[in-house]
Amino acid sequence: MILSCKSLKPDAKANPLNSSTDVPGENSGVKFDFHFVNGCSERMKGNLKEAKVHFSVCKELQPQNPAVRYELAMIHRLLGLNDMALDEAKICALAEPQNEWYHLLLIECYRTLHKNNEMIKAQEELVKQFPERNDFKQDLAYSYAITGQFNKSLQVYTQLEKQVGVNEELCMNKVKLYKELNKPDDAEKELLKLVHSKPEESLYRTYLADFYMEYKQPEKAKPVYDTLLIMDPDNPAVQLALHDYFSLKGEQQKAFEQLKMAFSNAELDAASKAQILISYMSQSENTPAFFAQGKELAEILLKVHPNSPEANALYAEFLIRENNLNAASVYLSKAAYLNSANYDTWDKLLLADIELSRLDSLELHSSKALELFPNQAMVYYYNGYANLQLKNYTKALHALNDGAALVNGNASLLLRFLSSAGDAAYYAGQTETAFKKYEEALKIDPDNTYVLNNYAYFLSLKNTQLEKAEKLSKRSLELKPEEKNYMDTYGWILYMQKKYTEAEVWLSKAAAMMPPNANILEHYGDVLFQNKKINQAIETWEAALELNKSNASLKEKIKCKCLNENQNEK
């Protein structure tokens, strides 16, 4: 008999972990009850080791008590002591063969230890003890099947069918077994039997038609599909099945028409349609016809399911492949907000904002994405980039610093963070921080021309470490000798070093390159002025002013025909 934990009440003052000598009274039955109740209590609290202590005392007092053995077996399983659990479970099942819970525990112990033969014997014994329990028979049939004993499994299912009659679960399990045994004729008979058992059920006919298609018997499948169309013409499962049928027959246009009907059918969920569309997308990379069909399906999907995130995201994908980023961004935005947990959609939306130079949108979307994905480093980069371009330099620096802290093992990404953080720090007025960021970046890639150039240029603007600036700039030119911005930087550093003749050579080259740049032309005008070429300098400044009419400094130079004060700190 299993003792009920609820029926036994220990002394309220008793310590459940005390030795048996602390239990009130000398009667062993009282001791047993005390420890059994406390064992149950500790188990329910999750204190498995304490519970085991109590049940072990019970086992000493009543070694053959199956209830105690059952509790110990359960605790051993929870503690991962599976061999010990099996030993206890065997004693339970042997002591009380009519107790189904003891048998079920024994079966689970065998299953955990992958002792399939012993498990099946225990299941056979369970079925023998409880012949009226069909669920035990089904479990046995399943165990036969997974261990490759297909014929035994079939026998059990057949016996069950005699008891409960023909039903979908039993028939479909038998069909699977016949397929494993390479007996398609018997599988067909099972499916026909299922169809005849309930002729009005279209799903059973779908199983039969699918079977015929699987075994390359389209001539048998077609009349089944014809019947299905009469029975249930709007059934999307039938439409999809007919798509497969016509595809197998090589009638691709008919197949596609059935697929369009399925996509137009609101009964077929958006997620299922999306999976089909994804396969079209992958095939469309090499087959233009698939792209056109895929986009048509995407349009239908969006029309039927306008608020589906999958529909919006997939339609955006087709637009992206057509290089229609402007339209794609609209659907990406909708998809992102409909399913805010999908990082991939947000990432594509942010990339679209960058490609379209929509800095305000990028800042807005990346700020929202930061709330949703605080552990994604790239979101911080996008936000930092947006704020840097929008001249929100302090916000940019914060985002870039936070994102860099999340980068792990990706040197190229960390380099991007550091170089952008250097720019943000400089423009935020944190010059020393900026230079430290550039130094860290150059440790990762000493030949990164972007960092070399910016670092050198900002050093020259601060009129500090000009020899180092010259060295950095010269290296960037060695790596990219035709880059006019690098020529400008190098020429300006020479200018700051008062090497006006050399500076003019490099600034002249930079100024001559197209398209014209106002900043470069201004630098060139300055060096011309220093080299006493006043008229040419003024002409060059005027050309620069045409490109940047709001430049007050240029206007002043032209007006006074002189360089501004503090020119070296510009």
Side-chain angles (χ1 to χ4, degrees), residues 65 72 144 232 347 402 456 472 532:
N65 189 306
L72 283 169
Y144 281 142
D232 195 358
D347 187 58
D402 290 344
L472 293 170
K532 312 303 181 185

Side-chain angles (χ1 to χ4, degrees), residues 180-211:
E180 290 288 347
L181 290 166
N182 196 26
K183 293 183 177 181
D185 292 342
D186 290 326
E188 181 185 8
K189 289 175 184 177
E190 281 297 323
L191 288 167
L192 287 168
K193 181 173 65 178
L194 181 61
V195 169
H196 294 149
S197 72
K198 199 173 182 181
E200 71 279 10
E201 178 53 71
S202 61
L203 180 62
Y204 298 167
R205 294 180 188 272
T206 303
Y207 292 153
L208 178 62
D210 289 346
F211 171 81

Side-chain angles (χ1 to χ4, degrees), residues 47 53 76 93 115 143 175 235 255 319 344 383 455 499 549 552:
N47 301 327
V53 171
H76 287 148
K115 296 187 175 185
S143 293
V175 168
N235 189 326
L319 292 172
D344 184 60
N383 187 259
Y455 191 9
K499 300 176 181 178
K549 296 182 184 297

Side-chain angles (χ1 to χ4, degrees), residues 373-390:
F373 310 103
N375 295 319
Q376 287 286 351
M378 279 308 299
V379 179
Y380 289 89
Y381 181 79
Y382 295 137
N383 187 259
Y385 174 84
N387 279 299
L388 180 59
Q389 299 303 313
L390 292 168

Side-chain angles (χ1 to χ4, degrees), residues 109-353:
C109 287
Y110 282 132
R111 195 191 311 277
T112 301
L113 292 167
H114 305 291
K115 296 187 175 185
N116 291 332
N117 292 335
E118 293 87 343
M119 177 187 71
I120 288 175
K121 286 180 182 178
Q123 287 181 290
E124 290 170 342
E125 180 62 27
L126 182 63
V127 169
K128 181 180 178 182
Q129 293 291 340
F130 301 93
E132 75 288 354
R133 292 289 297 273
N134 290 333
D135 55 333
F136 293 161
K137 293 175 185 176
Q138 285 186 296
D139 289 342
L140 176 59
Y142 176 77
S143 293
Y144 281 142
I146 63 171
T147 55
Q149 301 179 63
F150 302 131
N151 285 315
K152 284 188 175 182
S153 183
L154 277 168
Q155 289 173 8
V156 177
Y157 283 130
T158 300
Q159 291 171 5
L160 279 168
E161 195 173 71
K162 289 177 181 177
Q163 291 178 258
V164 303
V166 177
N167 70 44
E168 179 184 349
E169 183 181 4
L170 291 177
C171 277
M172 295 310 294
N173 283 335
K174 290 173 74 175
V175 168
K176 292 175 186 176
L177 290 166
Y178 281 128
K179 287 181 179 179
E180 290 288 347
L181 290 166
N182 196 26
K183 293 183 177 181
D185 292 342
D186 290 326
E188 181 185 8
K189 289 175 184 177
E190 281 297 323
L191 288 167
L192 287 168
K193 181 173 65 178
L194 181 61
V195 169
H196 294 149
S197 72
K198 199 173 182 181
E200 71 279 10
E201 178 53 71
S202 61
L203 180 62
Y204 298 167
R205 294 180 188 272
T206 303
Y207 292 153
L208 178 62
D210 289 346
F211 171 81
Y212 287 139
M213 294 298 292
E214 181 183 351
Y215 281 86
K216 306 295 187 291
Q217 297 176 313
E219 69 286 349
K220 286 188 175 182
K222 186 59 166 63
V224 181
Y225 287 133
D226 291 339
T227 302
L228 281 167
L229 282 174
I230 295 170
M231 292 175 62
D232 195 358
D234 295 324
N235 189 326
V238 177
Q239 293 161 345
L240 290 175
L242 281 168
H243 164 265
D244 295 341
Y245 166 76
F246 286 120
S247 294
L248 185 63
K249 294 278 288 183
E251 300 179 47
Q252 300 304 330
Q253 188 56 42
K254 287 184 178 180
F256 184 61
E257 290 302 319
Q258 290 297 325
L259 195 54
K260 287 200 294 182
M261 290 173 65
F263 267 63
S264 300
N265 195 328
E267 294 299 314
L268 183 62
D269 64 278
S272 298
K273 294 172 184 175
Q275 287 301 313
I276 297 170
L277 195 53
I278 289 169
S279 69
Y280 258 85
M281 188 170 289
S282 63
Q283 295 178 73
S284 70
E285 293 179 1
N286 301 315
T287 311
F290 275 110
F291 180 86
Q293 289 183 342
K295 188 180 178 186
E296 186 176 354
L297 291 174
E299 289 170 345
I300 297 171
L301 173 60
L302 189 62
K303 181 179 179 181
V304 179
H305 305 279
N307 292 319
S308 161
E310 296 95 342
N312 282 276
L314 285 169
Y315 187 59
E317 283 289 333
F318 282 97
L319 292 172
I320 289 171
R321 293 193 183 189
E322 290 181 325
N323 294 318
N324 190 352
L325 267 182
N326 194 44
S329 66
V330 175
Y331 296 99
L332 284 171
S333 178
K334 187 173 181 180
Y337 282 94
L338 283 169
N339 181 10
S340 59
N342 190 321
Y343 175 72
D344 184 60
T345 303
W346 282 97
D347 187 58
K348 289 173 181 174
L349 174 61
L350 297 174
L351 285 171
D353 285 336

Side-chain angles (χ1 to χ4, degrees), residues 493-548:
I493 292 168
L494 294 171
Y495 178 95
M496 296 298 291
Q497 292 174 311
K498 304 187 185 314
K499 300 176 181 178
Y500 300 127
T501 302
E502 294 176 63
E504 182 179 343
V505 172
W506 286 100
L507 290 171
S508 173
K509 287 182 181 180
M513 298 183 74
M514 293 290 111
N517 178 284
N519 194 48
I520 293 175
L521 287 172
E522 183 179 4
H523 286 171
Y524 183 41
D526 291 352
V527 77
L528 288 170
F529 190 91
Q530 292 287 10
N531 286 331
K532 312 303 181 185
K533 300 176 181 179
I534 309 301
N535 291 334
Q536 189 178 351
I538 293 171
E539 290 175 3
T540 305
W541 287 335
E542 288 173 341
L545 188 60
E546 283 296 314
L547 297 173
N548 184 6

